[in-house]
Amino acid sequence: MPQAINKVLVTGSNGQVGCLLSQKLERLKDEFKLYSFDREALDITSQDDVVKKIDDIQPDIIINCAAHTGVDKAETDIENSFAINELGPKYLAEQALKNDALLIHISTDYVFDGNKTEPYNETDKPNPKGVYGKSKLAGELAIQNTGCKNVILRTSWVFGEHGNNFVKTMLKLGKTKEKLGVIGDQFGGPTYAGDIADAIIIISKKYQIREQSGVYHYSGHPHVSWYELACEIFNVATKIDDNYKAPQVIKIRSIEYPLPAVRPANSRLNCNKLYKNFNISESDWNKQLNENLEGFFK
């Protein structure tokens, strides 16, 4: 008997995760029929747009990669942040419930204040400091309040070949700066966007019962500071490109580099629940840097 093919609707297809996820799903034609949309093709803040697309497609799985991720910009772009990060997920969740579809939604470590000394568990109480974290937490709650089948995947320090991220910023600055100050008192788990995409695909295949619904953590290991991550980026860059001259990286404190939005000092996430329920291991960010960094130069 042939295997059933699941119809999958992906939002935010031009983002870091959405782009790689769409590429990977496209190669799995015997398991998934992909409907992939960037913001121009599907604006999740438009309830009419969401209803029409989902009614037309009637997907089995909805994967929301769309988000307002400008952490500092969110401090002044409040209405837009909540529209994309709360209302959009709410509209998707309502339609997921109506169609008995599974909604997989990407959330963030910024729902926590960063004051805990140990890695955060899913059961720890969120306490976001900035607008971005508050809007993402509001989105999580909006999804859960609909009662739809859902997996909310909190992740951190995402980097990939597409879109803007810390790795690309470091490589770009490294070409023009002899010295570079990088924050050394914020700690987290860098996470490769391709690994997030792989985790989502595994969840899509293994989700069977409503008891699997809920919040999960998925991020990279080992945990490091931004300073340590920058040092490793330049270490790998000089191995890949003999002509790349890395700058001197200087460890600085958060207080020396003030930004509009306060970042959590501790963004480390405990990912045991995801491994227990879906057998998904943490992202090996160092391995992915070594294997994929060449693509970041393009």
Side-chain angles (χ1 to χ4, degrees), residues 212-280:
Q212 290 172 295
S213 284
V215 176
Y216 292 85
H217 289 171
Y218 180 73
S219 63
H221 202 266
H223 298 134
V224 288
S225 67
W226 291 114
Y227 165 80
E228 291 169 321
L229 176 56
C231 289
E232 189 55 29
I233 290 166
F234 292 126
N235 177 44
V236 177
T238 53
K239 285 193 292 185
I240 290 172
D241 184 353
D242 293 335
N243 297 318
Y244 190 89
K245 191 176 185 304
Q248 178 188 355
V249 185
I250 301 164
K251 186 191 296 186
I252 63 172
R253 295 177 299 159
S254 301
I255 199 170
E256 297 175 70
Y257 192 69
L259 292 164
V262 178
R263 270 69 171 169
N266 174 27
S267 280
R268 296 175 296 157
L269 300 175
N270 183 324
C271 304
N272 290 341
K273 180 183 174 184
L274 191 67
Y275 182 78
K276 181 181 177 183
N277 284 21
F278 291 99
N279 199 31
I280 297 171

Side-chain angles (χ1 to χ4, degrees), residues 159-160 165-172 229 233 289 293 296:
F159 68 95
N165 55 69
F166 182 78
V167 176
K168 283 189 174 182
T169 300
M170 288 298 103
L171 291 174
K172 186 177 179 181
L229 176 56
I233 290 166
L289 263 188
L293 195 66
F296 285 72

Side-chain angles (χ1 to χ4, degrees), residues 164-223:
N164 299 317
N165 55 69
F166 182 78
V167 176
K168 283 189 174 182
T169 300
M170 288 298 103
L171 291 174
K172 186 177 179 181
L173 289 174
K175 289 180 179 178
T176 58
K177 305 275 188 182
E178 290 185 2
K179 293 182 179 180
L180 202 56
V182 181
I183 291 170
D185 58 1
Q186 294 174 14
F187 296 87
T191 317
Y192 178 55
D195 285 344
I196 299 172
D198 287 338
I200 288 171
I201 290 170
I202 293 170
I203 292 167
S204 299
K205 292 179 180 181
K206 292 189 174 182
Y207 183 98
Q208 294 179 325
I209 55 174
R210 277 190 174 270
E211 283 71 23
Q212 290 172 295
S213 284
V215 176
Y216 292 85
H217 289 171
Y218 180 73
S219 63
H221 202 266
H223 298 134

Side-chain angles (χ1 to χ4, degrees), residues 9-81:
L9 186 154
V10 175
T11 68
S13 65
N14 57 349
Q16 290 197 82
V17 177
C19 186
L20 291 174
L21 176 62
S22 297
Q23 290 173 6
K24 289 172 181 286
L25 286 169
E26 189 64 42
R27 293 195 289 266
L28 298 171
K29 292 181 186 293
D30 58 334
E31 297 177 77
F32 300 103
K33 182 169 176 55
L34 175 64
Y35 299 85
S36 187
F37 302 100
D38 62 16
R39 186 173 183 179
E40 286 187 8
L42 173 54
D43 178 3
I44 65 169
T45 68
S46 166
Q47 189 171 22
D48 290 344
D49 205 2
V50 169
V51 171
K52 185 177 186 311
K53 279 286 195 301
I54 293 177
D55 277 351
D56 287 348
I57 295 167
Q58 296 188 339
D60 303 294
I61 303 165
I62 300 166
I63 304 172
N64 183 33
C65 299
H68 186 298
T69 57
V71 177
D72 292 315
K73 187 180 178 184
E75 292 300 306
T76 52
D77 195 17
I78 298 171
E79 185 177 349
N80 198 34
S81 297

Side-chain angles (χ1 to χ4, degrees), residues 8 82 131 187 217 285:
V8 182
F82 276 89
V131 171
F187 296 87
H217 289 171
W285 63 264

